[in-house]
C-alpha cells in the first residue's frame, strides 16, 4: 500500500497512481488538464470552520488533527475515506493539496489514517 502527499502544483509523475485532490476548493491558477486529478472527494476535506480556525493560527497542528479526525466519522466523510482506503489496496494513491506545507495539513492526517 503506497500513499503519498504531494502539492497539486507539482507535475504528475508516472508512479503517482490514482491522484486524489483532497482540498475543498479548486487550486488557483491550475487547469483541470494540468492537474490530472482522478478523484475529488470534497466531503472528505475539513469543514470551512475548521479550516478557517486552523489558518487563523489559534490552535496547534495536533489539535487540528484531532478535530479533523472527529469530522471524518460523519457518514459521508467516513464513506469517502473507506473508498480511498480501497483505492490504496489496488495500488499507489497520491493525495494532492495546494497547501504550502503539506506535512502540516489535512492531507498528512489522511495519509496517516490510510496507512494504519
Amino acid at each position: 500500500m503506497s500513499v503519498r502527499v504531494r502539492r497539486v502544483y507539482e507535475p504528475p509523475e508516472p508512479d503517482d497512481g490514482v491522484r486524489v485532490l483532497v482540498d475543498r476548493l479548486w487550486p488557483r491558477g491550475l487547469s483541470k488538464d494540468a492537474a490530472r486529478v482522478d478523484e475529488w472527494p470534497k466531503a472528505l476535506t475539513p469543514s470551512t470552520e475548521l479550516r478557517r480556525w486552523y489558518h487563523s493560527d489559534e490552535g496547534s497542528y495536533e489539535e487540528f488533527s484531532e478535530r479533523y479526525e472527529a469530522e471524518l466519522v460523519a457518514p459521508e466523510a467516513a464513506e469517502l475515506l473507506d473508498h480511498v482506503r480501497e483505492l490504496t489496496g489496488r495500488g499507489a494513491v497520491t493525495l494532492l493539496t495546494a497547501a504550502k506545507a503539506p506535512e502540516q495539513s489535512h492531507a498528512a492526517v489522511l495519509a496517516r489514517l490510510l496507512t494504519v
Side-chain angles (χ1 to χ4, degrees):
M1 167 168 40
S2 171
V3 177
R4 67 181 184 167
V5 176
R6 296 185 63 215
R7 292 201 70 218
V8 68
Y9 298 107
E10 297 172 6
E13 294 182 358
D15 60 344
D16 280 349
V18 178
R19 293 170 53 86
V20 181
L21 179 63
V22 294
D23 289 347
R24 186 169 298 269
L25 304 174
W26 188 262
R28 284 191 175 159
L30 188 64
S31 73
K32 292 188 179 186
D33 287 339
R36 292 193 192 152
V37 169
D38 297 309
E39 300 206 14
W40 187 16
K42 294 179 193 174
L44 188 60
T45 63
S47 66
T48 300
E49 297 79 18
L50 180 58
R51 192 171 32 105
R52 286 182 179 157
W53 171 83
Y54 182 52
H55 292 297
S56 70
D57 294 326
E58 291 182 24
S60 67
Y61 176 70
E62 291 74 24
E63 186 176 354
F64 167 77
S65 297
E66 290 172 11
R67 289 182 180 194
Y68 180 41
E69 286 185 46
E71 289 186 352
L72 290 172
V73 300
E76 188 176 6
E79 184 178 319
L80 289 170
L81 184 61
D82 286 343
H83 170 69
V84 176
R85 191 172 282 120
E86 288 174 17
L87 293 175
T88 65
R90 297 183 207 150
V93 171
T94 299
L95 304 177
L96 302 169
T97 181
K100 292 179 182 175
E103 66 282 351
Q104 292 285 310
S105 75
H106 64 288
V109 174
L110 286 173
R112 180 176 45 79
L113 292 174
L114 291 168
T115 57
V116 179

